[in-house]
Amino acid sequence: MDHKGTKIIETERLILRPFCEADGEFMFRNWAADPEVTKFLTWPAHENLQVSKQVVESWIKDNQNPKSYQWAVELKEIHEPIGSISAVETDDRTRSATIGYCIGRDWWGQGITAEALKAVTAFFFDEVNANRVSAYHDPRNPNSGKVMRKCGMRYEGIKREGGVNNQGICDEVWYSILKSQYKKETGSDEIWDKLYETAIRVQRGRKISDYVEAGGVAAAILTRAGNIYAGVCVDTCSTLGICAERNAIFNMLTNGEHEIVKVVAVMSDGHVGAPCGACRELMVQLMPKDYKGIEILMDYEKKRVVTLGELTPEWWI
């Protein structure tokens, strides 16, 4: 697997991020001190704040380890972590990861855990190149199984008396999802193929006059409404030219939309590449609050995808 460590992942309501020193207090207050939260976990409820701080400190030490995956589940609404989600085990031989999670009782039943698990599952498939993501729960905690099923995981079976948690020796109910299933159900490969083919169709690199060439690069973008817009680069002998990505964006704006989800830019040799600084800046200005989630195809054959937030982690404004 291509281990990346605990990278920041954003969803609609959450920021999944590495733990920091200030999180010890939130951990103790929001979830770790509650015996109901830890009832079916492998570690006991924290007796005092110092325990939480020590745990967070140990996780911080692993932040630079590319094989360590320990996220704080921060709720954007309150700017506080309300739980954690992690890869409790990874196996490079089978390209697999087993996920564990918990959140504070005040946030149960709101779909937050499923939102975090879906994001982490996508991260392992799309960025770490995992082939299998799994999770398990104590059968006396059926709500945890509902989370797994909601995220597309399939029931595998029960490992009888195969685990130990705060209730003693316990059965483990296992669920998993494979990359092939994930790709099929999300249609992620198919939409990248469609965007790539759309860009290729309009590319047609050509000389317009002694001063203008067009189509050396072509781009296609997918909007939040599900529409695709294409554009080609226009190169001139002065500064009148325009990049393919911005041409596609202007096409989108002309048609009344402004929210970008995915971007493909195809070079003259058929390979894909990253947008230039000016194109990135335009996308940031269009979506200043949500630009970091825009996905950009970097390798068509391997379907390697990065986010605009990774290419442009900080904005000058």
Side-chain angles (χ1 to χ4, degrees), residues 10-92:
E10 287 197 44
T11 69
E12 181 181 354
R13 295 180 291 176
L14 308 173
I15 298 175
L16 308 182
R17 57 166 177 77
F19 277 86
C20 63
E21 187 175 352
D23 292 333
E25 182 176 344
F26 296 124
M27 181 183 189
F28 181 73
R29 184 177 73 220
N30 289 342
W31 75 93
D34 187 345
E36 275 300 303
V37 171
T38 64
K39 184 175 182 178
F40 298 106
L41 300 181
T42 58
W43 48 272
H46 293 180
E47 295 182 355
N48 53 60
L49 176 58
Q50 188 60 32
V51 176
S52 296
K53 287 185 175 181
Q54 289 174 349
V55 171
V56 167
E57 184 179 339
S58 69
W59 287 342
I60 292 173
K61 290 180 180 178
D62 288 334
N63 279 349
Q64 302 306 315
N65 181 356
K67 291 188 176 183
S68 175
Y69 300 96
Q70 183 73 57
W71 288 273
V73 179
E74 179 179 320
L75 187 62
K76 292 179 180 179
E77 183 180 357
I78 62 174
H79 306 290
E80 293 181 10
I82 60 170
S84 66
I85 186 167
S86 66
V88 296
E89 183 180 1
T90 60
D91 188 331
D92 286 318

Coordinates of all heavy atoms in Angstrom, one line a residue, residues 10-92:
E10 N -11.8 16.2 4.9 CA -13.0 17.0 5.1 C -14.2 16.4 4.6 O -14.2 15.8 3.5 CB -12.8 18.4 4.6 CG -11.8 19.3 5.3 CD -12.0 20.8 5.0 OE1 -13.2 21.2 5.0 OE2 -11.0 21.4 4.9
T11 N -15.3 16.4 5.3 CA -16.6 16.0 4.8 C -17.6 17.2 5.0 O -17.2 18.3 5.4 CB -17.1 14.8 5.6 OG1 -17.4 15.2 6.9 CG2 -16.1 13.7 5.6
E12 N -18.8 17.0 4.8 CA -19.8 18.1 4.9 C -19.8 18.7 6.3 O -19.9 19.9 6.5 CB -21.2 17.6 4.5 CG -22.3 18.6 4.6 CD -23.7 18.1 4.2 OE1 -23.8 16.9 3.8 OE2 -24.6 18.9 4.4
R13 N -19.8 17.8 7.3 CA -19.9 18.3 8.7 C -18.6 18.1 9.5 O -18.5 18.7 10.6 CB -21.0 17.5 9.4 CG -22.4 17.8 8.9 CD -23.5 17.0 9.6 NE -23.4 15.5 9.4 CZ -24.1 14.6 10.0 NH1 -25.0 15.0 10.9 NH2 -24.0 13.3 9.7
L14 N -17.7 17.4 9.0 CA -16.5 17.0 9.8 C -15.2 17.4 9.2 O -15.0 17.5 8.0 CB -16.5 15.5 10.0 CG -17.8 14.8 10.5 CD1 -17.7 13.3 10.5 CD2 -18.1 15.3 11.9
I15 N -14.2 17.5 10.1 CA -12.8 17.6 9.7 C -12.1 16.4 10.5 O -12.1 16.4 11.7 CB -12.1 18.9 10.1 CG1 -12.8 20.1 9.4 CG2 -10.7 18.9 9.7 CD1 -12.3 21.4 9.8
L16 N -11.6 15.5 9.7 CA -10.8 14.4 10.3 C -9.4 14.8 10.2 O -8.9 15.0 9.1 CB -11.1 13.1 9.5 CG -12.6 12.7 9.4 CD1 -12.6 11.3 8.6 CD2 -13.3 12.6 10.7
R17 N -8.7 14.9 11.3 CA -7.4 15.5 11.4 C -6.5 14.8 12.4 O -7.0 14.1 13.3 CB -7.4 17.0 11.7 CG -8.2 17.3 13.0 CD -7.9 18.7 13.4 NE -8.7 19.1 14.6 CZ -8.3 18.7 15.9 NH1 -7.2 18.0 16.1 NH2 -9.0 19.1 16.9
P18 N -5.2 15.0 12.4 CA -4.3 14.4 13.4 C -4.7 15.1 14.8 O -5.1 16.3 14.8 CB -2.9 14.8 13.0 CG -3.0 15.0 11.5 CD -4.4 15.6 11.3
F19 N -4.5 14.4 15.8 CA -4.7 15.0 17.2 C -3.6 16.0 17.5 O -2.4 15.9 17.0 CB -4.7 13.9 18.2 CG -6.0 13.2 18.4 CD1 -6.3 12.1 17.6 CD2 -6.9 13.6 19.4 CE1 -7.5 11.4 17.7 CE2 -8.1 13.0 19.5 CZ -8.4 11.9 18.7
C20 N -3.9 17.0 18.3 CA -3.0 18.0 18.8 C -3.1 18.1 20.3 O -4.0 17.5 20.9 CB -3.2 19.3 18.1 SG -4.8 20.1 18.5
E21 N -2.1 18.8 20.9 CA -2.0 18.8 22.3 C -3.3 19.3 23.0 O -3.7 18.8 24.1 CB -0.9 19.7 22.7 CG -0.5 19.7 24.2 CD 0.7 20.5 24.6 OE1 1.4 20.9 23.6 OE2 1.0 20.7 25.8
A22 N -4.0 20.2 22.4 CA -5.2 20.8 23.0 C -6.4 19.8 23.1 O -7.4 20.1 23.7 CB -5.6 22.1 22.3
D23 N -6.3 18.7 22.3 CA -7.4 17.8 22.2 C -7.6 16.9 23.5 O -8.7 16.2 23.6 CB -7.2 16.9 21.0 CG -7.3 17.7 19.7 OD1 -8.0 18.7 19.7 OD2 -6.7 17.2 18.7
G24 N -6.6 16.8 24.4 CA -6.8 16.0 25.5 C -8.0 16.4 26.3 O -8.8 15.5 26.8
E25 N -8.3 17.7 26.5 CA -9.4 18.1 27.3 C -10.7 17.8 26.6 O -11.7 17.3 27.2 CB -9.3 19.6 27.6 CG -10.5 20.2 28.4 CD -10.3 21.7 28.7 OE1 -9.2 22.2 28.5 OE2 -11.3 22.3 29.1
F26 N -10.7 18.0 25.3 CA -12.0 17.6 24.5 C -12.2 16.1 24.6 O -13.4 15.7 24.7 CB -11.8 18.1 23.1 CG -11.7 19.6 22.9 CD1 -10.6 20.1 22.3 CD2 -12.7 20.4 23.4 CE1 -10.5 21.5 22.1 CE2 -12.6 21.8 23.3 CZ -11.5 22.4 22.7
M27 N -11.2 15.3 24.4 CA -11.3 13.9 24.5 C -12.0 13.5 25.8 O -12.9 12.7 25.8 CB -10.0 13.2 24.3 CG -10.1 11.7 24.3 SD -8.4 10.9 24.2 CE -8.9 9.2 23.9
F28 N -11.5 14.0 26.9 CA -12.0 13.6 28.2 C -13.4 14.1 28.4 O -14.3 13.3 28.8 CB -11.1 14.2 29.3 CG -11.5 13.9 30.7 CD1 -11.3 12.6 31.2 CD2 -12.2 14.8 31.5 CE1 -11.7 12.3 32.5 CE2 -12.6 14.5 32.8 CZ -12.4 13.2 33.3
R29 N -13.7 15.3 28.0 CA -15.0 15.9 28.2 C -16.1 15.3 27.2 O -17.2 15.1 27.6 CB -15.0 17.4 28.0 CG -16.3 18.1 28.3 CD -16.1 19.6 28.2 NE -16.0 20.0 26.9 CZ -15.2 21.0 26.5 NH1 -14.4 21.6 27.3 NH2 -15.1 21.3 25.2
N30 N -15.7 15.1 26.0 CA -16.7 14.8 24.9 C -17.0 13.3 24.8 O -18.0 12.9 24.2 CB -16.3 15.4 23.6 CG -16.5 16.9 23.6 OD1 -17.2 17.5 24.4 ND2 -15.8 17.6 22.7
W31 N -16.0 12.4 25.1 CA -16.3 11.0 24.9 C -15.6 10.0 25.8 O -16.1 9.0 26.3 CB -16.1 10.6 23.4 CG -14.7 10.4 22.9 CD1 -14.0 9.3 22.9 CD2 -13.9 11.4 22.4 NE1 -12.7 9.5 22.3 CE2 -12.7 10.8 22.0 CE3 -14.0 12.8 22.1 CZ2 -11.6 11.5 21.4 CZ3 -13.0 13.5 21.5 CH2 -11.8 12.9 21.1
A32 N -14.3 10.3 26.1 CA -13.5 9.2 26.8 C -13.8 8.9 28.2 O -13.5 7.8 28.7 CB -12.0 9.6 26.6
A33 N -14.5 9.8 28.9 CA -14.8 9.6 30.3 C -16.2 8.9 30.5 O -16.5 8.6 31.6 CB -14.8 10.9 31.1
D34 N -16.9 8.7 29.4 CA -18.2 8.2 29.5 C -18.2 6.6 29.4 O -17.9 6.1 28.3 CB -19.1 8.8 28.4 CG -20.5 8.4 28.5 OD1 -20.9 7.5 29.2 OD2 -21.4 9.0 27.8
P35 N -18.6 5.9 30.5 CA -18.5 4.4 30.4 C -19.5 3.9 29.4 O -19.3 2.7 28.9 CB -18.9 4.0 31.8 CG -19.6 5.2 32.4 CD -19.0 6.4 31.8
E36 N -20.5 4.6 29.0 CA -21.5 4.1 28.0 C -20.8 4.1 26.6 O -21.0 3.3 25.8 CB -22.7 5.0 27.9 CG -23.8 4.6 28.9 CD -24.3 3.2 28.7 OE1 -24.7 2.9 27.5 OE2 -24.2 2.4 29.6
V37 N -19.9 5.1 26.4 CA -19.2 5.2 25.1 C -18.2 4.0 25.0 O -18.0 3.4 24.0 CB -18.5 6.5 25.0 CG1 -17.5 6.5 23.8 CG2 -19.5 7.7 24.8
T38 N -17.5 3.7 26.1 CA -16.4 2.7 26.1 C -16.9 1.3 26.4 O -16.1 0.4 26.5 CB -15.3 3.1 27.1 OG1 -15.9 3.1 28.4 CG2 -14.8 4.5 26.8
K39 N -18.2 1.2 26.6 CA -18.8 -0.1 27.1 C -18.3 -1.3 26.3 O -17.9 -2.4 26.9 CB -20.3 0.0 27.1 CG -21.0 -1.3 27.6 CD -22.5 -1.1 27.7 CE -23.2 -2.3 28.3 NZ -24.7 -2.1 28.3
F40 N -18.3 -1.2 25.0 CA -17.8 -2.3 24.1 C -16.5 -2.1 23.5 O -16.2 -2.7 22.5 CB -18.9 -2.6 23.0 CG -20.3 -2.9 23.6 CD1 -21.3 -2.0 23.6 CD2 -20.4 -4.2 24.2 CE1 -22.5 -2.4 24.2 CE2 -21.7 -4.5 24.7 CZ -22.7 -3.6 24.7
L41 N -15.7 -1.2 24.0 CA -14.4 -0.9 23.5 C -13.3 -1.7 24.3 O -13.7 -2.4 25.2 CB -14.0 0.6 23.6 CG -15.0 1.5 22.8 CD1 -14.5 3.0 23.0 CD2 -15.1 1.2 21.4
T42 N -12.1 -1.6 23.8 CA -11.0 -2.4 24.5 C -10.3 -1.6 25.5 O -9.4 -2.2 26.2 CB -10.0 -2.9 23.4 OG1 -9.5 -1.8 22.7 CG2 -10.7 -3.8 22.4
W43 N -10.6 -0.4 25.7 CA -10.0 0.4 26.7 C -11.1 1.0 27.7 O -12.2 1.3 27.2 CB -9.1 1.5 26.1 CG -9.8 2.4 25.1 CD1 -9.8 2.1 23.7 CD2 -10.5 3.6 25.2 NE1 -10.5 3.1 23.0 CE2 -10.9 4.0 23.9 CE3 -10.8 4.4 26.3 CZ2 -11.7 5.2 23.7 CZ3 -11.6 5.5 26.1 CH2 -12.0 5.9 24.8
P44 N -10.8 1.2 29.0 CA -11.8 1.6 29.9 C -12.0 3.1 29.8 O -11.1 3.9 29.3 CB -11.1 1.2 31.3 CG -9.7 1.3 31.0 CD -9.5 0.8 29.6
A45 N -13.1 3.6 30.4 CA -13.3 5.0 30.5 C -12.2 5.7 31.3 O -11.7 5.1 32.2 CB -14.7 5.3 31.1
H46 N -11.8 6.9 30.8 CA -10.7 7.6 31.4 C -11.2 8.1 32.8 O -12.2 8.8 32.9 CB -10.2 8.7 30.6 CG -9.6 8.2 29.3 ND1 -9.0 9.1 28.4 CD2 -9.3 7.0 28.8 CE1 -8.5 8.4 27.4 NE2 -8.7 7.1 27.6
E47 N -10.4 7.9 33.8 CA -10.8 8.3 35.2 C -10.5 9.8 35.4 O -11.2 10.4 36.3 CB -10.0 7.5 36.2 CG -10.3 6.0 36.2 CD -9.6 5.2 37.2 OE1 -8.7 5.8 37.9 OE2 -9.9 4.0 37.4
N48 N -9.6 10.4 34.7 CA -9.3 11.8 34.9 C -8.7 12.4 33.6 O -8.3 11.6 32.6 CB -8.3 12.0 36.0 CG -7.1 11.1 35.9 OD1 -6.3 11.3 35.0 ND2 -6.8 10.3 36.9
L49 N -8.6 13.7 33.6 CA -8.1 14.4 32.4 C -6.7 14.0 32.0 O -6.3 13.9 30.9 CB -8.1 15.9 32.7 CG -7.6 16.8 31.6 CD1 -8.3 16.6 30.3 CD2 -7.7 18.3 32.0
Q50 N -5.8 13.7 33.0 CA -4.5 13.3 32.8 C -4.3 12.1 31.9 O -3.4 12.0 31.0 CB -3.7 13.1 34.1 CG -2.2 12.9 34.0 CD -1.5 14.1 33.3 OE1 -2.0 15.3 33.5 NE2 -0.5 13.9 32.6
V51 N -5.2 11.1 32.1 CA -5.2 9.9 31.2 C -5.4 10.3 29.8 O -4.7 9.9 28.9 CB -6.3 8.9 31.7 CG1 -6.3 7.7 30.7 CG2 -6.0 8.5 33.1
S52 N -6.4 11.2 29.5 CA -6.7 11.6 28.2 C -5.5 12.3 27.5 O -5.2 12.1 26.4 CB -8.0 12.5 28.1 OG -9.1 11.8 28.5
K53 N -4.9 13.2 28.3 CA -3.8 13.9 27.8 C -2.6 13.0 27.4 O -1.9 13.2 26.4 CB -3.3 15.0 28.8 CG -4.3 16.2 29.0 CD -3.7 17.2 29.9 CE -4.6 18.4 30.0 NZ -4.0 19.5 30.9
Q54 N -2.4 12.0 28.3 CA -1.3 11.0 28.0 C -1.6 10.2 26.7 O -0.7 10.0 25.9 CB -1.2 10.1 29.2 CG -0.5 10.8 30.4 CD -0.5 9.8 31.6 OE1 -1.1 8.8 31.6 NE2 0.2 10.3 32.6
V55 N -2.9 9.8 26.5 CA -3.2 9.1 25.3 C -3.0 10.0 24.1 O -2.4 9.6 23.1 CB -4.7 8.6 25.4 CG1 -5.2 8.1 24.0 CG2 -4.9 7.6 26.5
V56 N -3.5 11.2 24.1 CA -3.3 12.1 23.0 C -1.9 12.4 22.7 O -1.4 12.4 21.6 CB -4.1 13.5 23.3 CG1 -3.6 14.5 22.3 CG2 -5.6 13.3 23.2
E57 N -1.1 12.5 23.8 CA 0.4 12.7 23.6 C 1.0 11.5 22.9 O 1.9 11.7 22.0 CB 1.0 12.9 25.0 CG 2.5 13.2 24.9 CD 3.1 13.4 26.3 OE1 2.4 13.7 27.2 OE2 4.4 13.2 26.4
S58 N 0.6 10.3 23.2 CA 1.1 9.2 22.5 C 0.7 9.1 21.0 O 1.5 8.7 20.2 CB 0.7 7.9 23.2 OG -0.7 7.6 23.0
W59 N -0.5 9.6 20.7 CA -0.9 9.6 19.3 C -0.2 10.7 18.5 O 0.1 10.5 17.4 CB -2.4 9.9 19.3 CG -3.3 8.7 19.7 CD1 -2.9 7.4 19.8 CD2 -4.6 8.7 20.1 NE1 -3.9 6.6 20.2 CE2 -5.0 7.4 20.4 CE3 -5.6 9.8 20.2 CZ2 -6.3 7.1 20.8 CZ3 -6.9 9.4 20.6 CH2 -7.2 8.1 20.9
I60 N 0.1 11.8 19.2 CA 0.8 12.9 18.5 C 2.2 12.4 18.1 O 2.7 12.8 17.0 CB 0.9 14.1 19.4 CG1 -0.5 14.8 19.6 CG2 1.9 15.2 18.9 CD1 -0.5 15.9 20.7
K61 N 2.8 11.6 18.9 CA 4.2 11.1 18.6 C 4.2 10.3 17.3 O 5.2 10.2 16.6 CB 4.7 10.3 19.7 CG 5.0 11.1 21.0 CD 5.6 10.2 22.1 CE 5.9 11.0 23.3 NZ 6.4 10.1 24.5
D62 N 3.0 9.7 17.0 CA 2.9 8.9 15.8 C 2.4 9.7 14.5 O 2.3 9.1 13.5 CB 1.9 7.7 16.0 CG 2.5 6.7 16.9 OD1 3.7 6.6 17.0 OD2 1.7 6.0 17.6
N63 N 2.2 11.0 14.7 CA 1.7 11.8 13.6 C 2.5 11.7 12.3 O 2.0 11.8 11.2 CB 1.5 13.2 14.0 CG 0.2 13.4 14.8 OD1 -0.7 12.6 14.9 ND2 0.1 14.6 15.4
Q64 N 3.8 11.6 12.5 CA 4.8 11.6 11.4 C 5.0 10.2 10.8 O 5.7 10.1 9.8 CB 6.1 12.2 11.8 CG 6.0 13.6 12.3 CD 5.3 14.6 11.4 OE1 5.6 14.6 10.2 NE2 4.4 15.4 12.0
N65 N 4.4 9.2 11.4 CA 4.6 7.8 10.9 C 3.6 7.6 9.8 O 2.4 7.6 10.0 CB 4.3 6.9 12.0 CG 4.5 5.4 11.6 OD1 4.7 5.1 10.4 ND2 4.3 4.5 12.6
P66 N 4.0 7.3 8.5 CA 3.1 7.2 7.4 C 2.2 5.9 7.6 O 1.2 5.8 6.9 CB 4.0 7.0 6.2 CG 5.3 6.6 6.8 CD 5.4 7.2 8.1
K67 N 2.5 5.0 8.5 CA 1.7 3.8 8.7 C 0.7 4.0 9.8 O 0.0 3.0 10.2 CB 2.6 2.6 8.8 CG 3.3 2.2 7.6 CD 4.0 0.8 7.8 CE 4.6 0.4 6.5 NZ 5.2 -1.0 6.6
S68 N 0.7 5.2 10.5 CA -0.2 5.4 11.6 C -1.4 6.2 11.1 O -1.2 7.2 10.4 CB 0.6 6.2 12.7 OG -0.3 6.5 13.7
Y69 N -2.6 5.8 11.5 CA -3.8 6.4 11.1 C -4.7 6.6 12.3 O -5.4 5.7 12.7 CB -4.5 5.6 10.0 CG -3.7 5.4 8.7 CD1 -3.0 4.2 8.6 CD2 -3.6 6.3 7.7 CE1 -2.2 4.0 7.4 CE2 -2.9 6.1 6.6 CZ -2.2 5.0 6.4 OH -1.4 4.8 5.3
Q70 N -4.7 7.8 12.9 CA -5.4 8.1 14.1 C -6.0 9.5 13.9 O -5.3 10.5 14.1 CB -4.5 8.0 15.3 CG -5.3 8.3 16.6 CD -6.2 7.1 17.0 OE1 -5.7 5.9 17.1 NE2 -7.4 7.3 17.2
W71 N -7.3 9.6 13.6 CA -7.9 10.9 13.3 C -8.8 11.3 14.5 O -9.5 10.5 15.1 CB -8.8 10.8 12.1 CG -8.2 10.7 10.8 CD1 -7.7 11.7 10.0 CD2 -7.9 9.5 10.1 NE1 -7.2 11.2 8.8 CE2 -7.3 9.8 8.8 CE3 -8.1 8.1 10.3 CZ2 -6.9 8.9 7.9 CZ3 -7.7 7.2 9.4 CH2 -7.1 7.6 8.2
A72 N -8.7 12.6 14.8 CA -9.7 13.3 15.7 C -10.9 13.6 14.8 O -10.7 14.1 13.7 CB -9.1 14.5 16.3
V73 N -12.1 13.3 15.2 CA -13.3 13.6 14.5 C -13.8 15.0 15.0 O -14.5 15.1 16.0 CB -14.4 12.5 14.7 CG1 -15.6 12.9 13.9 CG2 -13.8 11.2 14.3
E74 N -13.5 16.0 14.3 CA -13.8 17.4 14.7 C -15.1 17.8 14.0 O -15.3 17.7 12.8 CB -12.7 18.4 14.3 CG -13.1 19.8 14.7 CD -12.0 20.8 14.4 OE1 -10.8 20.5 14.6 OE2 -12.3 21.9 13.9
L75 N -16.1 18.2 14.8 CA -17.4 18.7 14.3 C -17.2 20.2 13.9 O -16.9 21.0 14.8 CB -18.5 18.5 15.3 CG -19.9 18.8 14.9 CD1 -20.3 17.9 13.7 CD2 -20.9 18.6 16.1
K76 N -17.4 20.5 12.7 CA -17.2 21.9 12.2 C -18.1 22.9 13.0 O -17.7 24.0 13.2 CB -17.5 22.0 10.7 CG -16.6 21.3 9.8 CD -17.0 21.4 8.3 CE -16.0 20.7 7.4 NZ -16.4 20.9 6.0
E77 N -19.3 22.4 13.3 CA -20.3 23.3 14.0 C -19.7 23.9 15.3 O -20.0 25.0 15.6 CB -21.6 22.6 14.2 CG -22.7 23.4 14.8 CD -23.9 22.6 15.0 OE1 -24.0 21.4 14.6 OE2 -24.9 23.1 15.5
I78 N -19.0 23.1 16.0 CA -18.5 23.5 17.3 C -17.0 23.6 17.4 O -16.4 24.0 18.4 CB -19.0 22.6 18.5 CG1 -18.4 21.2 18.3 CG2 -20.5 22.6 18.5 CD1 -18.8 20.2 19.4
H79 N -16.3 23.3 16.3 CA -14.8 23.4 16.3 C -14.1 22.6 17.4 O -13.1 23.0 17.9 CB -14.4 24.8 16.3 CG -15.0 25.7 15.3 ND1 -14.7 25.6 13.9 CD2 -15.9 26.7 15.4 CE1 -15.4 26.5 13.2 NE2 -16.2 27.1 14.1
E80 N -14.7 21.4 17.7 CA -14.1 20.5 18.7 C -14.2 19.1 18.2 O -15.1 18.7 17.6 CB -15.0 20.6 20.0 CG -14.9 21.9 20.7 CD -15.7 21.9 22.0 OE1 -16.2 20.8 22.5 OE2 -15.9 23.0 22.6
P81 N -13.2 18.3 18.6 CA -13.3 16.9 18.3 C -14.3 16.2 19.3 O -14.4 16.5 20.4 CB -11.9 16.3 18.6 CG -11.3 17.3 19.6 CD -11.9 18.7 19.2
I82 N -15.1 15.3 18.7 CA -16.2 14.7 19.4 C -16.0 13.2 19.5 O -16.8 12.4 20.0 CB -17.6 15.0 18.9 CG1 -17.7 14.5 17.4 CG2 -17.9 16.5 19.0 CD1 -19.1 14.6 16.8
G83 N -14.9 12.7 18.9 CA -14.6 11.3 18.9 C -13.3 11.0 18.1 O -12.6 11.9 17.8
S84 N -13.1 9.8 17.8 CA -11.9 9.4 17.1 C -12.2 8.2 16.1 O -13.1 7.5 16.4 CB -10.7 9.0 18.0 OG -11.1 7.8 18.7
I85 N -11.4 8.1 15.1 CA -11.5 7.0 14.1 C -10.1 6.7 13.7 O -9.3 7.5 13.5 CB -12.4 7.3 13.0 CG1 -12.6 6.1 12.1 CG2 -11.9 8.5 12.1 CD1 -13.8 6.3 11.1
S86 N -9.8 5.4 13.6 CA -8.4 5.0 13.3 C -8.4 3.7 12.6 O -9.4 2.9 12.5 CB -7.6 4.8 14.6 OG -8.2 3.8 15.4
A87 N -7.2 3.4 12.0 CA -6.9 2.1 11.4 C -6.3 1.3 12.6 O -5.1 1.6 12.9 CB -6.0 2.1 10.2
V88 N -7.0 0.4 13.2 CA -6.4 -0.4 14.3 C -5.4 -1.4 13.8 O -4.6 -1.9 14.6 CB -7.5 -1.0 15.1 CG1 -8.4 0.0 15.8 CG2 -8.4 -2.0 14.3
E89 N -5.5 -1.7 12.5 CA -4.6 -2.7 11.9 C -4.5 -2.5 10.4 O -5.5 -2.3 9.8 CB -5.0 -4.1 12.3 CG -4.0 -5.2 11.7 CD -4.5 -6.6 12.0 OE1 -5.6 -6.8 12.6 OE2 -3.8 -7.5 11.7
T90 N -3.3 -2.6 9.9 CA -3.1 -2.6 8.4 C -2.2 -3.8 8.1 O -1.4 -4.2 8.8 CB -2.5 -1.3 7.9 OG1 -1.2 -1.1 8.5 CG2 -3.4 -0.1 8.2
D91 N -2.4 -4.3 6.9 CA -1.6 -5.4 6.4 C -1.3 -5.2 4.9 O -2.1 -5.2 4.0 CB -2.5 -6.7 6.5 CG -1.6 -8.0 6.2 OD1 -0.7 -7.9 5.4 OD2 -2.0 -9.0 6.8
D92 N 0.0 -4.9 4.7 CA 0.5 -4.6 3.3 C 0.4 -5.9 2.4 O 0.3 -5.7 1.2 CB 1.9 -4.2 3.4 CG 2.1 -2.7 3.9 OD1 1.2 -1.9 3.5 OD2 3.0 -2.5 4.7

